[in-house]
């Protein structure tokens, strides 16, 4: 299986600030990467697919980048509603796997 | 609008078998190019993909669970199902059903909690 590593379990950011969440795959995944946002009590919500493509309705302050094994999710102008846990997921392999999540908190 | 809704017993005893149902509205589960999946989230929030059923009926399982997992469907009711046997406490989790679009989970149900305890 391809292992997905999110090295930061928690990140604390100021309102209006910028944050970058990282995700590293154990093998090349050719941009077959998605990002999800999960708020307490809710199911995950798809934000980005194909490493960089924003889903309809997702604010433009969210963006994704990366290639090969290394990917990032960036959020600019952080809002209170962005407080959530963020997960990456690879779909290059037929066995889909998720990162362990990065919980975003307001400083 | 596409919606998914899970249902299940909530509590089962160790070694028993559980059946979960996902009812889909807003789209037929036989619509081409989509897969219909089960995912679980453990206490502590780790996410694990369980398996999916294609619009055609073909099924793919996570190899770590294939020996005790069965996914089926009832197209007349637009439902798909997860059956898991030989349950242990380690199967305690929130179980989600989701639509798979080209490998990503774009619509999710709200989840059903399963507790395995005597």
């Amino acid at each position: 299986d391809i292992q997905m590593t999110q090295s930061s379990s928690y990140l604390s950011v100021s309102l209006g600030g910028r944050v970058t969440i990282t995700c590293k795959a154990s093998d090349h995944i050719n941009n077959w990467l998605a990002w999800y946002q999960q708020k307490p009590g809710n199911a995950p919500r798809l934000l980005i697919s194909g490493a960089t493509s924003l889903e309809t309705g997702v604010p433009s302050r969210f963006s994704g980048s990366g290639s090969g094994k290394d990917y990032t999710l960036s959020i600019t102008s952080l809002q209170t509603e962005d407080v959530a846990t963020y997960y990456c997921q690879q779909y290059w392999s037929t066995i889909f796997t998720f990162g362990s999540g990065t919980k975003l908190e307001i400083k | 609008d596409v919606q998914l809704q899970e249902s299940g017993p909530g509590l089962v005893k160790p070694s028993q078998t559980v059946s979960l149902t996902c009812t889909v509205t807003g789209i037929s589960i036989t619509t081409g190019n989509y897969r219909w999946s089960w995912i679980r989230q453990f206490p502590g929030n780790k996410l694990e993909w369980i398996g999916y059923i294609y619009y055609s009926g073909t099924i793919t399982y996570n190899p770590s669970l294939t020996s005790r997992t069965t996914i089926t469907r009832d197209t007349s009711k637009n439902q798909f199902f997860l059956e898991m046997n030989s349950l242990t406490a380690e199967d305690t989790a929130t179980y989600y059903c989701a639509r798979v679009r080209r490998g990503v989970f774009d619509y999710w149900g709200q989840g059903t909690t399963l507790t395995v305890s005597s």
Side-chain angles (χ1 to χ4, degrees), chain B residues 67-82:
Chain B
S67 64
R68 57 191 191 95
T69 300
T70 304
I71 296 175
T72 57
R73 67 179 183 175
D74 183 337
T75 57
S76 68
K77 295 182 179 179
N78 217 38
Q79 294 175 325
F80 63 105
F81 311 98
L82 172 67

Side-chain angles (χ1 to χ4, degrees), chain A residues 32 34 36 38 42-44 46 49 55 87 89 91 94-96 98, chain B residues 35 41 45 47 49 52 63 96 100-106 108-109:
Chain A
W32 294 75
Y36 299 85
Q38 186 177 32
N42 290 343
L46 177 64
S49 61
E55 290 294 299
Y87 297 90
Q89 175 235 332
Y91 50 106
T94 53
I95 304 169
F96 299 154
F98 293 87
Chain B
R35 292 169 272 184
Q41 186 167 37
N45 295 326
L47 288 160
W49 168 69
Y52 50 64
Y96 293 100
V100 185
R101 184 199 78 212
R102 296 172 65 183
V104 300
F105 305 100
D106 63 346
W108 296 64

Side-chain angles (χ1 to χ4, degrees), chain B residues 5 11 21 24 26 33 35 38 44 50 60 71 75 83 91-92 94 106 108 117:
Chain B
Q5 174 82 52
L11 175 66
T21 298
V24 179
N33 298 321
R35 292 169 272 184
W38 290 96
I50 297 170
T60 300
I71 296 175
T75 57
E83 184 176 277
D91 295 308
T92 293
T94 297
D106 63 346
W108 296 64
S117 175

Side-chain angles (χ1 to χ4, degrees), chain B residues 2 15 21 37 44-45 48 52 54 56 65-67 75 79-80 91 93-94 97 106-108 114-115 118:
Chain B
V2 176
S15 79
T21 298
S37 184
N45 295 326
E48 181 178 52
Y52 50 64
Y54 283 78
S56 60
L65 294 168
T66 189
S67 64
T75 57
Q79 294 175 325
F80 63 105
D91 295 308
T94 297
C97 58
D106 63 346
Y107 286 93
W108 296 64
L114 178 69
T115 301
S118 55

Side-chain angles (χ1 to χ4, degrees), chain A residues 38-87:
Chain A
Q38 186 177 32
K39 297 182 180 180
N42 290 343
R45 171 197 179 195
L46 177 64
L47 298 177
I48 288 172
S49 61
T52 61
S53 298
L54 218 59
E55 290 294 299
T56 302
V58 176
S60 59
R61 63 180 182 273
F62 290 87
S63 64
S65 65
S67 63
K69 297 181 182 181
D70 297 296
Y71 298 87
T72 61
L73 171 70
S74 296
I75 312 172
T76 59
S77 301
L78 193 78
Q79 308 294 307
T80 53
E81 60 262 33
D82 300 333
V83 170
T85 301
Y86 293 85
Y87 297 90

